[in-house]
Amino acid sequence: MEVALIAVIAVVVLVGASILGSKIGVAAPLVLVVVGIGVGYLPFVPLVEIDPEVILLGVLPPLLYAAAVNVPLIDFRRNLRPVVGLSVLLVISTAVIIGFVLHLVVPAIPFPVAIALGAVISPTDAVAATSIGKRLGMPDRVVAILEGESLVNDATSLVLLKTAIAAVSGTFVFWDAAGSFGFSVTAAIIVGGLIGMVTVWMRAKLRNPVYDTMISFAVPFVSFIPAEAIGASGVLAVVVTGLYTGHHASRRFSATARMNERLNWRTVQFAMENGVFLVMGLQLHALGEHVGDSALRLEHVALISLVLVAVLIVCRAAFMVPLIASMRGSLDRYTQRSNGLSRMARSAKATNNPASPRVQRVKLLAERTRADLEHERHQRLGWRDGAVLSWSGMRGVVTLAAAQSIPVGIPYRPQIILIAFAVAVMTLLLHGLTLPLVIRKLWPNGSGAGASATELAALKSDLIEASDEAIDDALASADSEQLAPSDEIVARARANARNSLTPIMMNLAATGSLTVPSEETPGQALVRLSRVALDAQRTALLDERAIGRYSSQALRAAEIALDAHETRLIPPGVHG
């Protein structure tokens, strides 16, 4: 009874803090931390201490999967260089620098423990930065880089943390650690890919949304546990599984499954992200009690945290200079690749059947590279993008979760967790409150972020053209047993295909909300032709996603519109 009551109160607090935060303009995590601290110091509330395994196994896998499953793979591919730079090179170098600084300032803290703290506070959390950035018009490419960075840097951080903890026992050897790191990453990618393929295949066979939802909730744990069992990075395996699932959901899952997936994992992400901050606030009293008995007291922890925040800011800003400089040659590389593939496509077409798989494959690669070239031309990274990326280094939920996953026997564990907590709060306050001003100063007239009305109209036109051609083909090849539909039915089917896109795509682009039309479609002929048009539109959308001519925002808006239309046209079956 007590556990159920606590769970209900926690849900009310999470929702209430979110509503209050949006009303007063303060990030919900900060409100929850304050609430947790206040509740934790009430005289009738016992000291709260959470088992690190609960955080590591129960929080991180679903949290990372919920983020990965919604990241467009095309954005991840196009930004692979900056994502890898920020999430691997920057995290490792920052962790080492933090370790040196901390060990220098407080020699009593062993160097491996100092590296462990560096691994904990090095990864950024894009949730706060991207939520602010999307609202204020941060460039789409900057948002995509931050989202990709926050996924991969968690894996780098935790692998580095595991290595540092192993070094505390005195078993650290550089080459062994490097080999272990390489194995952990490689094996995690293989395990995550295999689990993604198996679970996507399995879920594609299911027609009952309840069964599909149950398996969906189990997927991150199914990916995490085997990877950890063989010594690989469980979190990286979860990220790979999430990316694979999110990319193939458009082709393999039903519209109902996709809509359920979006809603379910948004809910899980909300509960996990905010719940960790609430728990952290509750634990502050117990951590403070432990620190009070040590020579490294609270005032020392606060001063060390300030120093480390300054080091984090300097490291990230310094790393942006070579990163942006290295991106300068991307346009030339894309141009050379596009010209080469165009020549290859013409040669293949001249020597083979234009409809052969080889010609089609080369043609697709050529079109994709041209789209990548246009993307690089219009969204080339410059000094303003580098400045925003540099000032978006908030630490958040993964920093807190990773800190709490440190084993209890590690020296100065309470101080390390408190420092991680202070760094996360300071960066959230500093960057979160000033980032809007930075964005407005750098782009006073807006950056043109988001899917424009012109782009949405062009994508809509392509999809409507595909549906009209499909209806014409269906009428021309109709079976003799099928009655020829009247001109009125054909006209309504064409209008149905047009109207399914217009209100939802435009409303989604303007407000970010989804409105599903409720008008019923009468007649079997109308349903049949509408289904033909819908299938053609979805095929055209998948082709456009493979090429990359349109932004991920426009493609996502079109997919949500088609999913809403399909669920209205073909209701989900009765539960078994």
mmCIF file of all heavy atoms in Angstrom, residues 407-456:
data_model
loop_
_atom_site.group_PDB
_atom_site.id
_atom_site.type_symbol
_atom_site.label_atom_id
_atom_site.label_comp_id
_atom_site.label_asym_id
_atom_site.label_seq_id
_atom_site.Cartn_x
_atom_site.Cartn_y
_atom_site.Cartn_z
ATOM 1 N N PRO A 407 29.966 2.151 -7.998
ATOM 2 C CA PRO A 407 29.859 1.211 -6.871
ATOM 3 C C PRO A 407 30.092 1.886 -5.522
ATOM 4 O O PRO A 407 30.832 2.872 -5.401
ATOM 5 C CB PRO A 407 30.963 0.187 -7.168
ATOM 6 C CG PRO A 407 31.167 0.268 -8.643
ATOM 7 C CD PRO A 407 30.919 1.690 -9.017
ATOM 8 N N VAL A 408 29.480 1.334 -4.501
ATOM 9 C CA VAL A 408 29.506 1.932 -3.164
ATOM 10 C C VAL A 408 30.912 1.969 -2.578
ATOM 11 O O VAL A 408 31.269 2.891 -1.843
ATOM 12 C CB VAL A 408 28.544 1.159 -2.231
ATOM 13 C CG1 VAL A 408 28.619 1.682 -0.813
ATOM 14 C CG2 VAL A 408 27.118 1.237 -2.759
ATOM 15 N N GLY A 409 31.769 1.020 -2.912
ATOM 16 C CA GLY A 409 33.094 0.970 -2.302
ATOM 17 C C GLY A 409 34.104 1.951 -2.857
ATOM 18 O O GLY A 409 35.232 2.029 -2.355
ATOM 19 N N ILE A 410 33.759 2.713 -3.893
ATOM 20 C CA ILE A 410 34.710 3.650 -4.502
ATOM 21 C C ILE A 410 35.004 4.794 -3.528
ATOM 22 O O ILE A 410 34.080 5.360 -2.935
ATOM 23 C CB ILE A 410 34.138 4.204 -5.823
ATOM 24 C CG1 ILE A 410 33.995 3.082 -6.846
ATOM 25 C CG2 ILE A 410 35.000 5.322 -6.380
ATOM 26 C CD1 ILE A 410 35.301 2.463 -7.280
ATOM 27 N N PRO A 411 36.276 5.174 -3.351
ATOM 28 C CA PRO A 411 36.601 6.286 -2.436
ATOM 29 C C PRO A 411 35.915 7.588 -2.866
ATOM 30 O O PRO A 411 35.813 7.879 -4.056
ATOM 31 C CB PRO A 411 38.123 6.406 -2.554
ATOM 32 C CG PRO A 411 38.587 5.072 -3.060
ATOM 33 C CD PRO A 411 37.484 4.554 -3.919
ATOM 34 N N TYR A 412 35.442 8.325 -1.884
ATOM 35 C CA TYR A 412 34.806 9.632 -2.089
ATOM 36 C C TYR A 412 33.570 9.554 -2.990
ATOM 37 O O TYR A 412 33.244 10.511 -3.695
ATOM 38 C CB TYR A 412 35.811 10.635 -2.684
ATOM 39 C CG TYR A 412 36.945 10.974 -1.761
ATOM 40 C CD1 TYR A 412 38.171 10.315 -1.890
ATOM 41 C CD2 TYR A 412 36.811 11.925 -0.756
ATOM 42 C CE1 TYR A 412 39.229 10.604 -1.031
ATOM 43 C CE2 TYR A 412 37.866 12.229 0.105
ATOM 44 C CZ TYR A 412 39.064 11.553 -0.040
ATOM 45 O OH TYR A 412 40.105 11.844 0.797
ATOM 46 N N ARG A 413 32.877 8.415 -2.954
ATOM 47 C CA ARG A 413 31.675 8.275 -3.793
ATOM 48 C C ARG A 413 30.628 9.353 -3.502
ATOM 49 O O ARG A 413 30.079 9.947 -4.439
ATOM 50 C CB ARG A 413 31.062 6.890 -3.614
ATOM 51 C CG ARG A 413 29.799 6.672 -4.454
ATOM 52 C CD ARG A 413 29.235 5.270 -4.256
ATOM 53 N NE ARG A 413 28.084 5.050 -5.104
ATOM 54 C CZ ARG A 413 26.823 5.307 -4.754
ATOM 55 N NH1 ARG A 413 26.576 5.794 -3.536
ATOM 56 N NH2 ARG A 413 25.826 5.092 -5.581
ATOM 57 N N PRO A 414 30.274 9.644 -2.230
ATOM 58 C CA PRO A 414 29.265 10.691 -1.991
ATOM 59 C C PRO A 414 29.678 12.045 -2.570
ATOM 60 O O PRO A 414 28.850 12.767 -3.141
ATOM 61 C CB PRO A 414 29.161 10.743 -0.459
ATOM 62 C CG PRO A 414 29.643 9.414 0.006
ATOM 63 C CD PRO A 414 30.699 9.018 -0.955
ATOM 64 N N GLN A 415 30.978 12.388 -2.423
ATOM 65 C CA GLN A 415 31.440 13.660 -2.965
ATOM 66 C C GLN A 415 31.360 13.676 -4.495
ATOM 67 O O GLN A 415 31.006 14.695 -5.100
ATOM 68 C CB GLN A 415 32.880 13.938 -2.518
ATOM 69 C CG GLN A 415 33.027 14.299 -1.057
ATOM 70 C CD GLN A 415 33.141 13.080 -0.149
ATOM 71 O OE1 GLN A 415 32.917 11.955 -0.580
ATOM 72 N NE2 GLN A 415 33.481 13.295 1.113
ATOM 73 N N ILE A 416 31.694 12.552 -5.120
ATOM 74 C CA ILE A 416 31.634 12.480 -6.576
ATOM 75 C C ILE A 416 30.202 12.688 -7.060
ATOM 76 O O ILE A 416 29.940 13.435 -8.011
ATOM 77 C CB ILE A 416 32.186 11.120 -7.062
ATOM 78 C CG1 ILE A 416 33.697 11.067 -6.839
ATOM 79 C CG2 ILE A 416 31.858 10.881 -8.525
ATOM 80 C CD1 ILE A 416 34.306 9.738 -7.161
ATOM 81 N N ILE A 417 29.246 12.022 -6.396
ATOM 82 C CA ILE A 417 27.844 12.168 -6.798
ATOM 83 C C ILE A 417 27.368 13.596 -6.574
ATOM 84 O O ILE A 417 26.659 14.174 -7.415
ATOM 85 C CB ILE A 417 26.960 11.162 -6.026
ATOM 86 C CG1 ILE A 417 27.356 9.728 -6.389
ATOM 87 C CG2 ILE A 417 25.490 11.400 -6.331
ATOM 88 C CD1 ILE A 417 26.586 8.667 -5.645
ATOM 89 N N LEU A 418 27.770 14.187 -5.462
ATOM 90 C CA LEU A 418 27.375 15.575 -5.194
ATOM 91 C C LEU A 418 27.982 16.540 -6.214
ATOM 92 O O LEU A 418 27.322 17.479 -6.665
ATOM 93 C CB LEU A 418 27.808 15.968 -3.786
ATOM 94 C CG LEU A 418 26.777 15.749 -2.671
ATOM 95 C CD1 LEU A 418 27.346 16.213 -1.335
ATOM 96 C CD2 LEU A 418 25.487 16.493 -2.963
ATOM 97 N N ILE A 419 29.233 16.318 -6.582
ATOM 98 C CA ILE A 419 29.863 17.173 -7.596
ATOM 99 C C ILE A 419 29.139 17.017 -8.930
ATOM 100 O O ILE A 419 28.866 18.013 -9.629
ATOM 101 C CB ILE A 419 31.364 16.820 -7.729
ATOM 102 C CG1 ILE A 419 32.120 17.240 -6.466
ATOM 103 C CG2 ILE A 419 31.970 17.512 -8.951
ATOM 104 C CD1 ILE A 419 33.561 16.754 -6.433
ATOM 105 N N ALA A 420 28.823 15.777 -9.313
ATOM 106 C CA ALA A 420 28.082 15.558 -10.555
ATOM 107 C C ALA A 420 26.720 16.253 -10.515
ATOM 108 O O ALA A 420 26.286 16.874 -11.493
ATOM 109 C CB ALA A 420 27.899 14.052 -10.802
ATOM 110 N N PHE A 421 26.051 16.153 -9.374
ATOM 111 C CA PHE A 421 24.767 16.815 -9.188
ATOM 112 C C PHE A 421 24.918 18.333 -9.333
ATOM 113 O O PHE A 421 24.155 18.999 -10.040
ATOM 114 C CB PHE A 421 24.220 16.455 -7.810
ATOM 115 C CG PHE A 421 23.048 17.278 -7.369
ATOM 116 C CD1 PHE A 421 21.788 17.029 -7.859
ATOM 117 C CD2 PHE A 421 23.210 18.312 -6.462
ATOM 118 C CE1 PHE A 421 20.706 17.789 -7.452
ATOM 119 C CE2 PHE A 421 22.142 19.078 -6.050
ATOM 120 C CZ PHE A 421 20.880 18.817 -6.548
ATOM 121 N N ALA A 422 25.924 18.906 -8.677
ATOM 122 C CA ALA A 422 26.131 20.352 -8.736
ATOM 123 C C ALA A 422 26.486 20.811 -10.143
ATOM 124 O O ALA A 422 25.997 21.851 -10.612
ATOM 125 C CB ALA A 422 27.238 20.757 -7.754
ATOM 126 N N VAL A 423 27.331 20.050 -10.833
ATOM 127 C CA VAL A 423 27.703 20.400 -12.207
ATOM 128 C C VAL A 423 26.481 20.373 -13.115
ATOM 129 O O VAL A 423 26.280 21.275 -13.946
ATOM 130 C CB VAL A 423 28.798 19.447 -12.732
ATOM 131 C CG1 VAL A 423 28.973 19.598 -14.243
ATOM 132 C CG2 VAL A 423 30.113 19.715 -12.022
ATOM 133 N N ALA A 424 25.632 19.341 -12.967
ATOM 134 C CA ALA A 424 24.426 19.258 -13.804
ATOM 135 C C ALA A 424 23.510 20.456 -13.550
ATOM 136 O O ALA A 424 23.012 21.083 -14.499
ATOM 137 C CB ALA A 424 23.692 17.945 -13.517
ATOM 138 N N VAL A 425 23.295 20.799 -12.291
ATOM 139 C CA VAL A 425 22.409 21.923 -11.971
ATOM 140 C C VAL A 425 23.007 23.240 -12.454
ATOM 141 O O VAL A 425 22.317 24.087 -13.036
ATOM 142 C CB VAL A 425 22.134 21.974 -10.459
ATOM 143 C CG1 VAL A 425 21.373 23.242 -10.094
ATOM 144 C CG2 VAL A 425 21.335 20.744 -10.030
ATOM 145 N N MET A 426 24.311 23.437 -12.236
ATOM 146 C CA MET A 426 24.946 24.689 -12.661
ATOM 147 C C MET A 426 24.877 24.871 -14.174
ATOM 148 O O MET A 426 24.584 25.965 -14.671
ATOM 149 C CB MET A 426 26.408 24.711 -12.201
ATOM 150 C CG MET A 426 26.602 24.906 -10.714
ATOM 151 S SD MET A 426 28.367 24.865 -10.271
ATOM 152 C CE MET A 426 28.267 24.919 -8.482
ATOM 153 N N THR A 427 25.169 23.801 -14.928
ATOM 154 C CA THR A 427 25.137 23.931 -16.388
ATOM 155 C C THR A 427 23.711 24.112 -16.890
ATOM 156 O O THR A 427 23.481 24.862 -17.849
ATOM 157 C CB THR A 427 25.774 22.700 -17.054
ATOM 158 O OG1 THR A 427 25.140 21.502 -16.571
ATOM 159 C CG2 THR A 427 27.261 22.629 -16.764
ATOM 160 N N LEU A 428 22.756 23.441 -16.254
ATOM 161 C CA LEU A 428 21.363 23.652 -16.651
ATOM 162 C C LEU A 428 20.937 25.094 -16.420
ATOM 163 O O LEU A 428 20.276 25.711 -17.272
ATOM 164 C CB LEU A 428 20.446 22.702 -15.867
ATOM 165 C CG LEU A 428 20.313 21.275 -16.393
ATOM 166 C CD1 LEU A 428 19.546 20.420 -15.398
ATOM 167 C CD2 LEU A 428 19.603 21.254 -17.739
ATOM 168 N N LEU A 429 21.324 25.637 -15.274
ATOM 169 C CA LEU A 429 20.969 27.023 -14.975
ATOM 170 C C LEU A 429 21.719 27.997 -15.884
ATOM 171 O O LEU A 429 21.114 28.882 -16.506
ATOM 172 C CB LEU A 429 21.292 27.336 -13.515
ATOM 173 C CG LEU A 429 20.283 26.838 -12.470
ATOM 174 C CD1 LEU A 429 20.847 27.042 -11.065
ATOM 175 C CD2 LEU A 429 18.962 27.562 -12.618
ATOM 176 N N LEU A 430 23.033 27.837 -15.972
ATOM 177 C CA LEU A 430 23.847 28.781 -16.731
ATOM 178 C C LEU A 430 23.490 28.761 -18.214
ATOM 179 O O LEU A 430 23.141 29.789 -18.808
ATOM 180 C CB LEU A 430 25.333 28.439 -16.537
ATOM 181 C CG LEU A 430 26.324 29.282 -17.347
ATOM 182 C CD1 LEU A 430 26.222 30.741 -16.958
ATOM 183 C CD2 LEU A 430 27.741 28.754 -17.166
ATOM 184 N N HIS A 431 23.570 27.578 -18.824
ATOM 185 C CA HIS A 431 23.308 27.481 -20.257
ATOM 186 C C HIS A 431 21.816 27.601 -20.569
ATOM 187 O O HIS A 431 21.431 28.237 -21.555
ATOM 188 C CB HIS A 431 23.844 26.158 -20.797
ATOM 189 C CG HIS A 431 25.325 26.005 -20.671
ATOM 190 N ND1 HIS A 431 26.219 26.879 -21.222
ATOM 191 C CD2 HIS A 431 26.082 25.063 -20.035
ATOM 192 C CE1 HIS A 431 27.463 26.492 -20.951
ATOM 193 N NE2 HIS A 431 27.395 25.402 -20.225
ATOM 194 N N GLY A 432 20.990 26.958 -19.729
ATOM 195 C CA GLY A 432 19.555 26.974 -20.001
ATOM 196 C C GLY A 432 18.945 28.362 -19.957
ATOM 197 O O GLY A 432 18.076 28.704 -20.760
ATOM 198 N N LEU A 433 19.404 29.190 -19.017
ATOM 199 C CA LEU A 433 18.836 30.528 -18.894
ATOM 200 C C LEU A 433 19.427 31.522 -19.893
ATOM 201 O O LEU A 433 18.797 32.524 -20.222
ATOM 202 C CB LEU A 433 19.056 31.053 -17.462
ATOM 203 C CG LEU A 433 18.321 30.274 -16.358
ATOM 204 C CD1 LEU A 433 18.662 30.844 -14.988
ATOM 205 C CD2 LEU A 433 16.810 30.299 -16.584
ATOM 206 N N THR A 434 20.631 31.252 -20.392
ATOM 207 C CA THR A 434 21.277 32.203 -21.310
ATOM 208 C C THR A 434 21.233 31.771 -22.774
ATOM 209 O O THR A 434 21.463 32.601 -23.661
ATOM 210 C CB THR A 434 22.755 32.399 -20.918
ATOM 211 O OG1 THR A 434 23.428 31.125 -20.923
ATOM 212 C CG2 THR A 434 22.864 33.013 -19.528
ATOM 213 N N LEU A 435 20.948 30.494 -23.041
ATOM 214 C CA LEU A 435 20.923 30.015 -24.428
ATOM 215 C C LEU A 435 19.906 30.761 -25.295
ATOM 216 O O LEU A 435 20.203 31.074 -26.457
ATOM 217 C CB LEU A 435 20.667 28.504 -24.466
ATOM 218 C CG LEU A 435 20.765 27.834 -25.839
ATOM 219 C CD1 LEU A 435 22.153 28.024 -26.441
ATOM 220 C CD2 LEU A 435 20.446 26.341 -25.738
ATOM 221 N N PRO A 436 18.693 31.055 -24.797
ATOM 222 C CA PRO A 436 17.759 31.829 -25.626
ATOM 223 C C PRO A 436 18.344 33.164 -26.081
ATOM 224 O O PRO A 436 18.177 33.563 -27.240
ATOM 225 C CB PRO A 436 16.549 32.027 -24.706
ATOM 226 C CG PRO A 436 16.605 30.880 -23.755
ATOM 227 C CD PRO A 436 18.054 30.620 -23.531
ATOM 228 N N LEU A 437 19.038 33.853 -25.184
ATOM 229 C CA LEU A 437 19.657 35.128 -25.544
ATOM 230 C C LEU A 437 20.735 34.931 -26.604
ATOM 231 O O LEU A 437 20.843 35.728 -27.555
ATOM 232 C CB LEU A 437 20.259 35.782 -24.295
ATOM 233 C CG LEU A 437 21.002 37.110 -24.509
ATOM 234 C CD1 LEU A 437 20.037 38.162 -25.041
ATOM 235 C CD2 LEU A 437 21.658 37.578 -23.212
ATOM 236 N N VAL A 438 21.537 33.874 -26.473
ATOM 237 C CA VAL A 438 22.591 33.598 -27.448
ATOM 238 C C VAL A 438 21.991 33.342 -28.831
ATOM 239 O O VAL A 438 22.481 33.861 -29.843
ATOM 240 C CB VAL A 438 23.435 32.384 -26.983
ATOM 241 C CG1 VAL A 438 24.414 31.955 -28.072
ATOM 242 C CG2 VAL A 438 24.184 32.721 -25.710
ATOM 243 N N ILE A 439 20.931 32.539 -28.888
ATOM 244 C CA ILE A 439 20.301 32.228 -30.174
ATOM 245 C C ILE A 439 19.730 33.491 -30.811
ATOM 246 O O ILE A 439 19.891 33.731 -32.020
ATOM 247 C CB ILE A 439 19.207 31.165 -29.984
ATOM 248 C CG1 ILE A 439 19.828 29.833 -29.537
ATOM 249 C CG2 ILE A 439 18.414 30.960 -31.275
ATOM 250 C CD1 ILE A 439 18.818 28.769 -29.196
ATOM 251 N N ARG A 440 19.069 34.322 -30.024
ATOM 252 C CA ARG A 440 18.477 35.553 -30.576
ATOM 253 C C ARG A 440 19.557 36.504 -31.059
ATOM 254 O O ARG A 440 19.380 37.207 -32.058
ATOM 255 C CB ARG A 440 17.606 36.226 -29.521
ATOM 256 C CG ARG A 440 16.350 35.462 -29.165
ATOM 257 C CD ARG A 440 15.394 36.321 -28.348
ATOM 258 N NE ARG A 440 14.276 35.546 -27.831
ATOM 259 C CZ ARG A 440 14.197 35.077 -26.589
ATOM 260 N NH1 ARG A 440 15.183 35.323 -25.734
ATOM 261 N NH2 ARG A 440 13.158 34.379 -26.195
ATOM 262 N N LYS A 441 20.694 36.574 -30.353
ATOM 263 C CA LYS A 441 21.770 37.463 -30.764
ATOM 264 C C LYS A 441 22.430 36.984 -32.060
ATOM 265 O O LYS A 441 22.781 37.779 -32.930
ATOM 266 C CB LYS A 441 22.827 37.556 -29.650
ATOM 267 C CG LYS A 441 22.391 38.370 -28.441
ATOM 268 C CD LYS A 441 22.289 39.852 -28.787
ATOM 269 C CE LYS A 441 21.967 40.672 -27.548
ATOM 270 N NZ LYS A 441 21.839 42.115 -27.881
ATOM 271 N N LEU A 442 22.609 35.672 -32.184
ATOM 272 C CA LEU A 442 23.282 35.137 -33.360
ATOM 273 C C LEU A 442 22.382 35.130 -34.587
ATOM 274 O O LEU A 442 22.859 35.306 -35.711
ATOM 275 C CB LEU A 442 23.790 33.715 -33.065
ATOM 276 C CG LEU A 442 24.921 33.602 -32.042
ATOM 277 C CD1 LEU A 442 25.236 32.149 -31.758
ATOM 278 C CD2 LEU A 442 26.172 34.321 -32.537
ATOM 279 N N TRP A 443 21.091 34.900 -34.378
ATOM 280 C CA TRP A 443 20.135 34.893 -35.499
ATOM 281 C C TRP A 443 18.978 35.824 -35.173
ATOM 282 O O TRP A 443 17.873 35.363 -34.839
ATOM 283 C CB TRP A 443 19.617 33.479 -35.757
ATOM 284 C CG TRP A 443 20.638 32.558 -36.319
ATOM 285 C CD1 TRP A 443 21.037 32.447 -37.614
ATOM 286 C CD2 TRP A 443 21.408 31.571 -35.596
ATOM 287 N NE1 TRP A 443 22.008 31.483 -37.752
ATOM 288 C CE2 TRP A 443 22.249 30.930 -36.524
ATOM 289 C CE3 TRP A 443 21.470 31.185 -34.259
ATOM 290 C CZ2 TRP A 443 23.140 29.922 -36.162
ATOM 291 C CZ3 TRP A 443 22.349 30.192 -33.894
ATOM 292 C CH2 TRP A 443 23.171 29.567 -34.834
ATOM 293 N N PRO A 444 19.192 37.120 -35.248
ATOM 294 C CA PRO A 444 18.122 38.067 -34.878
ATOM 295 C C PRO A 444 16.896 37.957 -35.768
ATOM 296 O O PRO A 444 15.781 38.261 -35.350
ATOM 297 C CB PRO A 444 18.797 39.445 -35.027
ATOM 298 C CG PRO A 444 19.987 39.203 -35.896
ATOM 299 C CD PRO A 444 20.428 37.804 -35.626
ATOM 300 N N ASN A 445 17.080 37.514 -37.015
ATOM 301 C CA ASN A 445 15.958 37.368 -37.948
ATOM 302 C C ASN A 445 15.525 35.916 -38.107
ATOM 303 O O ASN A 445 14.762 35.591 -39.017
ATOM 304 C CB ASN A 445 16.344 37.937 -39.319
ATOM 305 C CG ASN A 445 16.681 39.409 -39.252
ATOM 306 O OD1 ASN A 445 16.027 40.165 -38.533
ATOM 307 N ND2 ASN A 445 17.717 39.816 -39.975
ATOM 308 N N GLY A 446 15.994 35.044 -37.238
ATOM 309 C CA GLY A 446 15.666 33.623 -37.338
ATOM 310 C C GLY A 446 16.638 32.908 -38.257
ATOM 311 O O GLY A 446 17.264 33.518 -39.138
ATOM 312 N N SER A 447 16.767 31.623 -38.083
ATOM 313 C CA SER A 447 17.714 30.827 -38.871
ATOM 314 C C SER A 447 17.040 30.019 -39.966
ATOM 315 O O SER A 447 17.696 29.251 -40.667
ATOM 316 C CB SER A 447 18.474 29.865 -37.946
ATOM 317 O OG SER A 447 17.578 28.930 -37.369
ATOM 318 N N GLY A 448 15.719 30.176 -40.114
ATOM 319 C CA GLY A 448 15.008 29.386 -41.118
ATOM 320 C C GLY A 448 14.880 27.930 -40.735
ATOM 321 O O GLY A 448 14.840 27.053 -41.598
ATOM 322 N N ALA A 449 14.859 27.657 -39.431
ATOM 323 C CA ALA A 449 14.784 26.278 -38.967
ATOM 324 C C ALA A 449 13.392 25.711 -39.185
ATOM 325 O O ALA A 449 12.417 26.438 -39.329
ATOM 326 C CB ALA A 449 15.145 26.199 -37.488
ATOM 327 N N GLY A 450 13.321 24.378 -39.181
ATOM 328 C CA GLY A 450 12.034 23.715 -39.340
ATOM 329 C C GLY A 450 11.677 23.518 -40.803
ATOM 330 O O GLY A 450 12.298 24.079 -41.707
ATOM 331 N N ALA A 451 10.686 22.692 -41.021
ATOM 332 C CA ALA A 451 10.221 22.438 -42.387
ATOM 333 C C ALA A 451 9.419 23.635 -42.875
ATOM 334 O O ALA A 451 8.411 23.997 -42.274
ATOM 335 C CB ALA A 451 9.379 21.161 -42.422
ATOM 336 N N SER A 452 9.871 24.262 -43.961
ATOM 337 C CA SER A 452 9.182 25.445 -44.475
ATOM 338 C C SER A 452 7.902 25.046 -45.193
ATOM 339 O O SER A 452 7.717 23.891 -45.602
ATOM 340 C CB SER A 452 10.098 26.202 -45.432
ATOM 341 O OG SER A 452 10.356 25.414 -46.586
ATOM 342 N N ALA A 453 7.012 26.025 -45.358
ATOM 343 C CA ALA A 453 5.757 25.770 -46.071
ATOM 344 C C ALA A 453 6.035 25.344 -47.503
ATOM 345 O O ALA A 453 5.331 24.489 -48.059
ATOM 346 C CB ALA A 453 4.886 27.034 -46.033
ATOM 347 N N THR A 454 7.071 25.915 -48.126
ATOM 348 C CA THR A 454 7.423 25.549 -49.504
ATOM 349 C C THR A 454 7.858 24.102 -49.590
ATOM 350 O O THR A 454 7.447 23.362 -50.500
ATOM 351 C CB THR A 454 8.554 26.463 -50.016
ATOM 352 O OG1 THR A 454 8.141 27.831 -49.916
ATOM 353 C CG2 THR A 454 8.910 26.132 -51.452
ATOM 354 N N GLU A 455 8.696 23.665 -48.633
ATOM 355 C CA GLU A 455 9.158 22.282 -48.642
ATOM 356 C C GLU A 455 8.022 21.306 -48.401
ATOM 357 O O GLU A 455 7.905 20.283 -49.075
ATOM 358 C CB GLU A 455 10.238 22.106 -47.568
ATOM 359 C CG GLU A 455 10.848 20.718 -47.562
ATOM 360 C CD GLU A 455 11.865 20.524 -46.453
ATOM 361 O OE1 GLU A 455 11.744 21.206 -45.419
ATOM 362 O OE2 GLU A 455 12.774 19.690 -46.612
ATOM 363 N N LEU A 456 7.148 21.626 -47.453
ATOM 364 C CA LEU A 456 5.997 20.755 -47.184
ATOM 365 C C LEU A 456 5.080 20.676 -48.392
ATOM 366 O O LEU A 456 4.541 19.607 -48.718
ATOM 367 C CB LEU A 456 5.234 21.281 -45.968
ATOM 368 C CG LEU A 456 5.905 21.076 -44.610
ATOM 369 C CD1 LEU A 456 5.149 21.838 -43.529
ATOM 370 C CD2 LEU A 456 5.994 19.610 -44.255
#
